[in-house]
C-alpha cells in the first residue's frame, strides 16, 4: 500500500512545524492527528457515530472530513469529466467532417426549410458542447481552497496559535494550497467556503445536461424520420411488443438523465440563497445528495453520448428522398431567375410558379401523391425556354450554401474544435468507445 492511499492533512506533518516554527506542537500531537485524519471506512463510521451523538453534522465533519475535502472532490471530479466531454466532441467532429457536404432538409418551426448538410447540423451540436467544455473548464480553473480560516473565517484561532503573527498564517495557507494542489484560497470565507462555488459548478454541469437533451432529442427525431439512427446491435431488441421496431433507447436514456441534471442547479441556487449570515445548516442534507448526484449524472450521460456519437448510422437514400419531396419548391426561385435572364417578366414568372405550386401542394396533401411540381413546370409551355436546364437546377448541393465550408473551418485542421481538444488528445486516442447495457 502506498503512503498516498490515505489522505493526510498538511497540518498533520512535520512540514508545518519546520516551516512555521510552531513549537507548541509536539511529535506526539502530530501522531495523534495522523491517527485521526485517515479517510477510511472506519473514519466514515466515526463520522456517523459523531453525528448521532452530537446531533450536529458540522461536528462530524470537524472530526472526519472538512469543507476543503469537498473542494478536492469537486476538482478531481471535474478533471475526470472534462476529457470524457472532449471525447464526445471529437466523435462528433469526425462525423461532421465525414458528412459535411451531404445535403439534408433544414427545419425551422419543425417545418421543412432551406437545405443544410448533415455535417452542418452536427457542427451545431458540437458548438454547444464546446460552450459546455469552456464553461466547465472555467469553473475548474477558478476553484480555490478554503484553507485554514477558522470558525467564521476570521482566523482568530490561528492568531492564538501563531502568537498574532499574520504572515505565518498566510504562509500556512500557502503551504496548504501547494500541498492540496490549488492556486490559492478564497479571499473571503465564513464557516464554509461560499456556496456560490457549488452553484457555479452546478450551472456549468447542468447546462451540459440541457445540451445533452437537445442533441438526444434531435437524434430521436431523425430516427423517427429514418434518416439517422443510434447504434443498434444485430441481436438488440428494439421493442418488446413490435419486433420490427428500432427504438432509440440510448438517446431516450440521455434525454431522461439530462432532464434530471439540467434541473439540479435550482437546488444549488436555493441553498446558496439561504446561507444566512456566516452559514446555516440547511445546506447539509441537500448537498450530500446533489453534489455526488450531479457528477454521477454527468458521467452517465457522457458514457452514453460517447457510445451514441461514435456509432451514428446515416441513411443517405432516405435523406435524399425526403429532400427531393421539398426541393422542387426551393428550386422555384432559381427557375424564376433563369426565366428572367431569358427576358421573361419576373412578375409573370412568379405568378405562373405560384399557381403550379399550389396545384402540386394540393396533390401532396389532399391526394397523397408525390411532389410533381417539376413535372408540371416541364409541361407548361411558358417555361419552355428553361426546360432543358431544370434538371441541373435540382442538384441538392446547390442549395446547402457554405455548409461544407463552415464545417471544415470549424471542425477541420487548425479549426476551433481542434484547438479546444488539443490538451485532451492523449486521452481521446487512448480511450475505447464506451459500451452500454441497454
Amino acid at each position: 500500500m502506498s503512503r498516498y492511499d490515505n489522505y493526510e492533512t498538511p497540518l498533520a506533518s512535520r512540514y508545518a512545524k519546520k516551516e512555521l516554527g510552531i513549537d507548541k506542537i509536539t511529535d506526539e500531537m502530530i501522531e495523534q492527528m495522523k491517527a485521526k485524519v485517515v479517510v477510511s471506512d472506519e473514519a466514515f463510521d466515526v463520522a456517523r457515530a459523531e453525528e448521532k451523538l452530537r446531533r450536529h453534522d458540522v461536528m462530524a465533519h470537524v472530526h472526519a472530513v472538512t469543507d476543503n475535502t469537498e473542494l478536492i472532490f469537486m476538482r478531481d471530479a471535474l478533471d475526470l469529466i472534462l476529457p470524457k466531454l472532449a471525447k464526445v466532441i471529437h466523435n462528433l467532429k469526425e462525423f461532421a467532417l465525414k458528412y459535411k457536404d451531404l445535403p439534408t432538409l433544414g427545419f425551422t418551426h419543425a417545418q421543412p426549410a432551406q437545405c443544410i448538410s448533415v455535417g452542418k447540423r452536427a457542427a451545431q451540436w458540437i458548438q454547444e458542447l464546446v460552450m459546455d467544455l469552456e464553461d466547465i473548464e472555467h469553473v475548474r480553473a477558478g476553484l480555490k481552497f478554503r484553507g485554514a480560516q477558522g470558525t467564521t473565517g476570521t482566523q482568530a484561532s490561528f492568531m492564538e496559535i501563531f502568537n498574532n503573527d499574520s504572515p505565518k498564517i498566510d504562509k500556512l495557507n500557502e503551504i496548504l494550497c501547494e500541498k492540496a494542489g490549488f492556486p490559492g484560497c478564497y479571499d473571503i470565507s465564513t464557516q464554509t467556503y461560499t456556496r456560490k462555488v457549488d452553484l457555479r459548478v452546478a450551472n456549468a454541469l447542468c447546462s451540459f445536461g440541457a445540451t445533452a437533451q437537445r442533441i438526444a432529442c434531435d437524434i430521436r427525431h431523425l430516427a423517427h424520420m429514418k434518416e439517422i439512427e443510434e447504434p443498434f446491435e444485430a441481436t438488440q431488441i428494439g421493442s418488446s411488443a413490435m419486433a420490427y421496431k428500432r427504438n432509440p433507447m440510448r438517446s431516450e436514456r440521455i434525454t431522461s438523465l439530462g432532464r434530471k441534471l439540467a434541473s439540479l442547479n435550482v437546488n444549488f441556487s436555493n441553498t446558496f440563497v439561504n446561507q444566512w449570515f456566516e452559514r446555516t445548516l440547511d445546506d447539509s442534507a441537500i448537498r450530500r445528495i446533489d453534489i455526488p448526484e450531479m457528477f454521477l449524472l454527468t458521467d452517465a450521460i457522457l458514457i452514453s453520448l460517447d457510445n451514441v456519437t461514435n456509432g451514428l448510422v446515416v441513411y443517405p437514400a432516405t435523406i435524399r428522398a425526403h429532400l427531393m419531396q421539398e426541393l422542387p419548391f426551393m428550386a422555384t426561385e432559381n427557375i424564376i431567375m433563369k426565366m428572367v435572364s431569358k427576358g421573361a417578366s419576373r412578375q409573370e414568372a412568379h405568378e405562373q410558379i405560384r399557381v403550379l405550386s399550389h396545384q402540386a401542394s394540393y396533390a401532396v396533401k389532399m391526394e397523397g401523391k408525390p411532389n410533381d411540381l417539376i413535372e408540371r413546370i416541364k409541361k407548361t409551355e411558358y417555361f419552355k425556354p428553361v426546360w432543358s436546364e431544370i434538371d441541373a437546377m435540382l442538384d441538392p448541393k446547390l442549395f446547402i450554401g457554405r455548409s461544407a465550408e463552415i464545417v471544415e473551418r470549424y471542425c477541420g485542421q487548425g479549426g476551433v474544435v481542434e484547438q479546444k481538444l488539443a490538451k485532451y488528445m492523449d486521452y481521446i486516442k487512448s480511450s475505447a468507445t464506451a459500451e452500454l447495457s441497454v
Side-chain angles (χ1 to χ4, degrees), residues 35-100:
K36 288 183 178 292
V37 297
V38 174
V39 179
S40 62
D41 291 344
E42 291 77 12
F44 287 107
D45 290 338
V46 169
R48 284 190 288 270
E50 284 290 336
E51 182 171 356
K52 185 174 182 180
L53 176 65
R54 311 297 179 186
R55 299 298 177 185
H56 195 294
D57 71 347
V58 168
M59 287 306 299
H61 275 64
V62 167
H63 280 77
V65 184
T66 70
D67 220 38
N68 283 312
T69 306
E70 291 172 342
L71 291 166
I72 294 172
F73 287 161
M74 286 200 291
R75 178 200 63 191
D76 292 353
L78 290 171
D79 286 343
L80 292 172
I81 281 169
L82 281 166
K84 291 185 178 183
L85 176 53
K87 173 67 161 51
V88 172
I89 294 172
H90 176 78
N91 293 346
L92 284 172
K93 175 181 77 76
E94 297 297 302
F95 178 85
L97 288 170
K98 182 176 180 179
Y99 295 104
K100 64 184 179 182

Side-chain angles (χ1 to χ4, degrees), residues 269-335:
S269 178
N270 289 335
T271 296
F272 166 64
V273 166
N274 284 285
Q275 287 298 286
W276 304 345
F277 305 119
E278 280 61 61
R279 81 87 52 100
T280 60
L281 202 54
D282 58 0
D283 67 336
S284 176
I286 194 167
R287 291 176 73 250
R288 290 185 188 186
I289 298 169
D290 284 349
I291 291 178
E293 187 172 80
M294 169 175 65
F295 284 102
L296 291 171
L297 282 166
T298 302
D299 189 63
I301 292 168
L302 284 168
I303 290 172
S304 295
L305 270 177
D306 181 35
N307 178 273
V308 169
T309 58
N310 201 40
L312 289 171
V313 182
V314 178
Y315 299 106
T318 304
I319 292 172
R320 181 179 176 84
H322 291 162
L323 180 57
M324 295 310 292
Q325 289 175 4
E326 304 294 337
L327 195 64
F329 295 125
M330 302 176 192
T332 55
E333 180 63 22
N334 291 353
I335 294 173

